[in-house]
Amino acid sequence: MARRTKVYEGKAKVLYEGPEPGTLVQYFKDDATAFNAEKRAVIDGKGVLNNRLSEFFMSGLNAIGVPTHFIRRINMREQLIRAVEIIPLEVVVRNVAAGSLSKRLGIEEGTALPRPIVEFYYKDDALGDPLVSEEHVIAFGWASQQDLDDMVQLALRVNDFLSGVMLGVGIKLVDFKIEIGRIWENDFQRLIIADEISPDSCRLWDMRTGEKLDKDVFRRDLGNLADAYTEVAKRLGVLPSNGKVMTRPTLIN
Ligand code: C5P
């Protein structure tokens, strides 16, 4: 039997060659890492949950005209995506102070920001993904001014969509990270949302209790990560309310 070709393996996902040119298969692993992979664990079911949640967010974005790489889910752990040329930047949008912003600027976690703040981090594990300015991005040729303008617009549209969806299920979207890629349509370049959108890449706080429902549960040892993600999935209707995440094929009566 022919073996499929692995194109890339990251900390939480694997990319394989897709069935048609210009497509890839994105496989979600159960591996969790934090602090630039200094902390690691395998969380049973995380990949299944993130596959479903990323499908939910990306297909919602596609439906409102925010282009993403998502084509369709293939199975519990895999989705078919468009191949893109990834821009080597992590784009973070913040609505509430937390994490590295609180640490860097001494602003108490939970402080509402006067407006959403968009930041760029240069994707380089060896350097620990440093914060960079638009000047750096342009001077080093990672993206053009036009790309930057488009990236900010895309990031803010994702913020509006995700904030609204989460508000509807009693969850505050504190911040999130997206990655953006280029695709070529004839001679024209278009930027689309790539990678994943999941509780691995967002901060999500219960509006009533403040309970954390994202990867900070793992980073800060606050409890069971899969339970937190399952709660998000249940509220969004991605899993039935009594849903138990199935990590391997299971017979349903
Ligand atoms: O750590 P920091 O406060 O800068 O993170 C901001 C947001 O970006 C958080 O939601 C975090 O989960 C996400 N993030 C990420 N991948 C990284 C760094 C941050 O998904 N490498």
Side-chain angles (χ1 to χ4, degrees):
M1 201 156 59
R3 197 183 175 87
R4 62 183 171 176
T5 309
K6 192 191 280 186
V7 177
Y8 176 80
E9 177 153 8
K11 285 172 266 191
K13 297 185 294 293
V14 187
L15 294 176
Y16 296 99
E17 250 173 28
E20 289 166 37
T23 66
L24 294 170
V25 172
Q26 178 165 255
Y27 176 96
F28 287 77
K29 301 194 277 189
D30 280 342
D31 301 50
T33 61
F35 313 118
N36 207 3
E38 277 169 32
K39 179 169 179 170
R40 298 163 174 275
V42 176
I43 314 274
D44 194 26
K46 181 173 85 81
V48 176
L49 285 156
N50 281 352
N51 186 27
R52 296 300 293 258
L53 284 163
S54 203
E55 171 192 17
F56 177 81
F57 295 128
M58 296 260 186
S59 49
L61 285 165
N62 285 341
I64 62 161
V66 179
T68 81
H69 72 167
F70 180 81
I71 302 172
R72 66 183 161 80
R73 187 164 56 81
I74 299 170
N75 58 39
M76 286 192 299
R77 286 185 184 274
E78 295 178 332
Q79 47 184 244
L80 186 66
I81 58 169
R82 295 184 69 163
V84 300
E85 188 186 306
I86 283 280
I87 294 177
L89 297 170
E90 301 199 330
V91 184
V92 169
V93 182
R94 302 178 186 273
N95 300 305
V96 175
S100 69
L101 178 92
S102 291
K103 213 165 159 188
R104 190 177 307 113
L105 302 180
I107 302 174
E108 195 185 341
E109 284 216 322
T111 309
L113 298 171
R115 46 173 269 184
I117 294 175
V118 181
E119 298 172 336
F120 297 100
Y121 293 81
Y122 180 51
K123 265 170 73 71
D124 186 318
D125 283 343
L127 297 175
D129 299 338
L131 177 66
V132 292
S133 72
E134 296 201 1
E135 288 285 305
H136 295 121
V137 172
I138 291 169
F140 298 121
W142 299 322
S144 66
Q145 183 64 58
Q146 180 65 56
D147 291 337
L148 276 172
D149 295 347
D150 292 350
M151 288 170 82
V152 168
Q153 271 222 16
L154 278 172
L156 291 175
R157 291 185 75 192
V158 173
N159 188 43
D160 285 347
F161 171 77
L162 284 184
S163 298
V165 168
M166 300 316 294
L167 179 71
V169 295
I171 295 174
K172 190 193 293 189
L173 178 67
V174 172
D175 57 32
F176 66 89
K177 184 260 319 188
I178 50 171
E179 295 189 24
I180 293 174
R182 305 173 202 279
I183 51 166
W184 293 91
E185 283 167 354
N186 301 317
D187 286 344
F188 294 95
Q189 171 199 280
R190 211 150 68 99
L191 298 187
I192 68 175
I193 313 293
D195 191 53
E196 71 176 293
I197 301 178
S198 76
D200 266 8
S201 52
C202 301
R203 280 199 175 88
L204 305 170
W205 294 355
D206 182 86
M207 303 254 280
R208 207 168 40 81
T209 63
E211 185 191 353
K212 295 185 190 341
L213 299 169
D214 57 63
K215 202 162 126 184
D216 275 347
V217 171
F218 170 69
R219 292 188 190 102
R220 303 180 188 188
D221 293 320
L222 299 175
N224 183 310
L225 191 71
D227 287 351
Y229 289 18
T230 301
E231 175 63 21
V232 175
K234 272 192 209 164
R235 289 200 202 179
L236 292 169
V238 171
L239 288 178
S241 56
N242 62 349
K244 169 109 181 65
V245 57
M246 292 181 290
T247 53
R248 43 189 73 83
T250 307
L251 267 181
I252 302 171
N253 295 316

